[in-house]
């Protein structure tokens, strides 16, 4: 642990929900919940107004609705969040070359590597300026922790929430840590905490007093020894820039349990293809294929197979996933499926045996496209699928301008027409097939007064939309979320209960 508080931890406050409140003036100061809106959805983020009612991240959306029925329940807009994250991370990189992002809204920064004077006054000034810069560039707030180690900096930012800064001065670390719950220590989850509780250990101070030998006896050599070091304030983990991803995975939760084996196999193949697209998008390949199957009763199993070399071949990964599924009984019903690839590499070692085995059954993509074009010339094209108006997503109307969907159902869609820099807007109900209503890109949260009006030209592209693929079960990307289950049905914009 350093003798000066030159490790900074930034954590944006209720990030997704705060971004939605900043984008939607009618929701400011009101409870907002972002996540999966379907019956099996999961909360990704809740605003502080919603947390008052007990709503928390990773909670089932159905439970959140019972606790806070008048909140606005919105579909995530990952394109907007990624755009904001890029702005924030660039501000962090101006402070130091050593920036370790943990997620879109959280990162460590080594201020010493950035040449900041190693004094409490200097690092505090940097932290305060960072908070001002983030607010000016994004319109959002973030909390900053400053300490001599990563663990303490993260604890400090948590204690500073919301919209604050806490510096843990050298020599005060153990006094601050001691009264805290043992859960404050990284790596201590519910199971470890319960093991310690049964031994009469509930706080960080009690953990340190128990001694390393006792912790090793309770938890094993690696976990016990590491826990003792952290409980006594010893954390020498460096800030590591550009942390490498260890795996790429996708998963879907289904609105209804899948009992048909053919449907399960088709969904698994679709997920394998989606996983490969993400793998290739990252310029990677991998040698271990993993499937995840969650049954109707929430029991979850994983199966893995390691190939002879790294691959990004969709046929190879599909076949490996199918082989893994062969030994899994799905007759009782499948709630969730997932496919992942680990053992990542920057190159591909061709699996000639697997490719040769699959080649006779493969149809070249070009031939498939040509066949489709030929068929299209002889038969009328299928009608376009009906547009889905999911709560929270951006729209634009030819007459009323930009707005966002509050809810839809029974052939109608309710839209509130407002922008991030306007007063709360008017609500209008339109036909779902209104030709003047179109999906739109998110508007920036901070208006550029020197440039063109973004309400006329759109904002950052929402590439994530309702189909984000990497959230928790039932979060964006989960199937079967009814449009009517969102804001319009829950009284968004109403007063807090």
């Amino acid at each position: 642990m350093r003798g000066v508080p030159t490790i900074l931890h930034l954590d944006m406050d209720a990030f997704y929900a705060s971004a939605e409140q900043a984008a939607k003036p009618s929701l400011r100061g009101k409870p907002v919940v972002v996540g999966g809106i379907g019956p099996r959805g999961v909360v990704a983020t809740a605003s502080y107004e919603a947390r008052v009612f007990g709503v928390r991240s990773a909670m089932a959306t159905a439970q959140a609705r019972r606790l806070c029925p008048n909140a606005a329940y919105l579909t995530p807009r990952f394109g907007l969040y990624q755009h904001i994250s890029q702005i924030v991370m660039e501000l962090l990189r101006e402070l130091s070359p050593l920036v370790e992002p943990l997620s879109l809204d959280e990162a460590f920064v080594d201020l010493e590597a950035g040449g900041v004077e190693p004094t409490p006054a200097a690092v505090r000034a940097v932290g305060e300026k960072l908070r001002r810069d983030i607010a000016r560039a994004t319109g959002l707030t973030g909390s900053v922790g400053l300490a001599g180690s990563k663990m303490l900096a993260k604890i400090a930012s948590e204690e500073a929430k919301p919209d604050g800064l806490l510096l843990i001065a050298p020599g005060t670390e153990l006094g601050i840590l001691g009264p805290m719950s043992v859960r404050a220590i990284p790596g201590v989850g519910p199971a470890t905490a319960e093991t310690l509780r049964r031994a009469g250990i509930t706080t960080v101070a009690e953990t340190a007093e128990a001694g390393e030998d006792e912790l090793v006896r309770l938890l094993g050599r690696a976990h016990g020894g590491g826990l003792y070091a952290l409980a006594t304030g010893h954390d020498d983990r460096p800030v590591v820039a550009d942390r490498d991803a260890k795996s790429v995975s996708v998963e879907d939760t289904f609105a209804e349990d899948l009992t048909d084996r053919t449907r399960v196999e088709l969904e698994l193949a679709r997920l394998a293809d989606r996983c490969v697209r993400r793998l290739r998008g990252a310029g990677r390949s991998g040698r271990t294929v993993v499937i995840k199957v969650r049954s109707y009763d929430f029991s979850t199993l994983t199966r893995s197979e390691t190939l002879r070399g790294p691959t990004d071949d969709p046929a190879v990964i599909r076949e490996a996933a199918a082989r893994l599924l062969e030994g899994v009984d799905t007759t009782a019903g499948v709630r969730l499926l997932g496919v992942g690839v680990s053992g990542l590499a920057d190159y591909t070692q061709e699996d000639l045996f697997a490719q040769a085995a699959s080649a006779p059954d493969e149809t070249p993509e070009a031939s498939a496209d040509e066949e489709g074009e030929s068929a299209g010339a002889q038969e009328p094209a299928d009608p376009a699928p009906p547009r889905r108006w999911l709560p929270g997503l951006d729209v634009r109307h030819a007459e009323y301008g930009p707005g966002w969907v509050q809810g839809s159902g029974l052939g109608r869609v309710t839209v509130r027409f407002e922008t991030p820099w306007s007063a709360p807007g008017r609500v209008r109900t339109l036909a779902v097939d209104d030709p003047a209503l179109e999906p739109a890109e998110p508007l920036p949260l901070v208006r550029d007064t020197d440039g063109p009006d973004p309400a006329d030209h759109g904002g950052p592209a929402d590439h994530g939309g309702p189909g984000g693929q990497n959230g928790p079960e039932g979060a964006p990307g989960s199937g079967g979320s009814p449009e009517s289950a969102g804001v319009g049905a829950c009284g968004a914009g109403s007063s807090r209960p």
Side-chain angles (χ1 to χ4, degrees):
M1 184 170 59
R2 300 178 183 181
V4 287
T6 53
I7 293 182
L8 179 149
H9 181 260
L10 170 72
D11 196 353
M12 300 295 288
D13 300 321
F15 183 45
Y16 296 174
S18 295
E20 296 299 343
Q21 288 176 316
K24 301 171 171 62
S26 57
L27 297 184
R28 293 171 190 168
K30 300 194 172 92
V32 173
V33 178
V34 179
I37 61 173
R40 291 183 170 178
V42 170
V43 174
T45 307
S47 69
Y48 289 101
E49 296 84 357
R51 295 181 191 187
V52 171
F53 297 91
V55 180
R56 295 288 183 269
S57 298
M59 173 183 287
T61 302
Q63 182 182 356
R65 289 185 189 277
R66 290 191 293 270
L67 293 171
C68 190
N70 290 329
Y73 289 84
L74 306 178
T75 300
R77 300 184 296 158
F78 285 111
L80 174 64
Y81 310 149
Q82 289 166 352
H83 176 75
I84 299 170
S85 177
Q86 289 169 2
I87 295 173
V88 172
M89 295 302 165
E90 282 304 313
L91 290 173
L92 296 182
R93 292 186 181 97
E94 291 176 6
L95 302 179
S96 171
L98 290 183
V99 176
E100 182 178 340
L102 303 179
S103 62
L104 288 177
D105 63 331
E106 186 180 0
F108 286 110
V109 183
D110 187 335
L111 297 179
E112 187 175 297
V116 176
E117 183 183 352
T119 65
V123 296
R124 181 184 291 277
V126 169
E128 293 290 7
K129 180 178 183 300
L130 173 65
R131 294 176 57 238
R132 292 193 299 270
D133 290 345
I134 289 173
R136 182 165 50 249
T138 69
L140 304 180
T141 63
S143 295
V144 169
L146 293 159
S149 70
K150 292 170 75 171
M151 177 184 70
L152 288 168
K154 185 174 176 63
I155 288 174
S157 68
E158 186 65 30
E159 293 293 310
K161 283 184 170 292
D163 191 20
L165 180 147
L166 176 62
L167 184 148
I168 297 180
T172 66
E173 297 91 351
L174 295 181
I176 291 173
L177 273 176
M180 290 185 172
S181 165
V182 70
R183 290 291 304 274
I185 300 176
V188 177
T192 299
E194 178 58 22
T195 299
L196 295 172
R197 187 196 64 78
R198 289 198 298 267
I201 300 170
T202 59
T203 67
V204 176
E206 291 169 347
T207 306
E209 290 168 4
E212 184 173 4
D213 291 342
E214 176 65 7
L215 294 176
V216 168
R217 185 186 70 80
L218 291 170
L219 304 172
R221 171 61 58 185
H223 194 16
L227 179 59
Y228 178 74
L230 293 175
T232 53
H234 295 89
D235 179 15
D236 297 323
R237 294 173 298 162
V239 176
V240 180
D242 300 322
R243 296 197 314 167
D244 235 2
K246 296 181 179 179
S247 64
V248 172
S249 63
V250 296
E251 61 183 42
D252 269 352
T253 302
F254 306 103
E256 297 179 357
D257 294 334
L258 305 184
T259 55
D260 180 80
R261 183 71 177 194
T262 301
R263 172 77 188 283
V264 173
E265 292 169 350
L266 289 173
E267 291 291 346
L268 194 74
R270 179 181 61 82
L271 287 167
D273 288 343
R274 208 167 84 194
C275 184
V276 168
R277 288 196 295 272
R278 303 194 74 176
L279 193 67
R280 288 180 169 179
R284 309 298 296 274
S285 61
R287 63 179 301 154
T288 300
V289 179
V290 183
I291 69 166
K292 177 179 178 181
V293 182
R294 178 165 295 159
S295 299
Y296 74 98
D297 60 356
F298 284 88
S299 60
T300 304
L301 60 84
T302 59
R303 296 287 185 269
S304 64
E305 175 182 321
T306 299
L307 307 173
R308 294 188 297 179
T311 183
D312 63 356
D313 188 320
V316 173
I317 293 173
R318 276 198 307 268
E319 289 178 1
R323 285 194 297 271
L324 293 169
L325 185 65
E326 287 175 1
V328 180
D329 181 7
T330 60
T331 54
V334 173
R335 176 187 179 90
L336 173 147
L337 280 175
V339 175
V341 176
S342 60
L344 301 185
D346 294 324
Y347 65 93
T348 299
Q349 178 179 320
E350 298 295 343
D351 189 334
L352 301 179
F353 177 80
Q355 289 187 354
S358 62
D361 297 326
E362 290 296 307
T363 302
E365 292 183 7
S367 299
D369 292 342
E370 291 167 5
E371 183 180 344
E373 292 173 3
S374 175
Q378 298 173 6
E379 299 178 9
D382 292 335
R387 292 178 293 184
R388 299 183 66 204
W389 303 111
L390 297 174
L393 297 189
D394 299 271
V395 294
R396 178 180 294 274
H397 192 275
E399 180 180 354
Y400 306 124
W404 57 277
V405 176
Q406 283 200 330
S408 67
L410 302 176
R412 297 187 179 278
V413 55
T414 301
V415 178
R416 186 180 287 273
F417 290 97
E418 60 186 5
T419 66
W421 46 86
S422 74
R426 180 175 176 179
V427 176
R428 297 181 183 273
T429 299
L430 310 167
V432 294
D433 57 355
D434 186 334
L437 185 67
E438 294 291 339
E441 296 177 345
L443 298 172
L445 302 185
V446 177
R447 190 174 187 176
D448 182 1
T449 55
D450 297 329
D453 188 347
D456 294 330
H457 299 280
D462 184 12
H463 300 297
Q469 308 299 347
N470 235 10
E473 176 191 349
S478 61
S481 299
E483 295 89 335
S484 60
V487 182
C490 294
S494 62
S495 299
R496 287 172 53 181

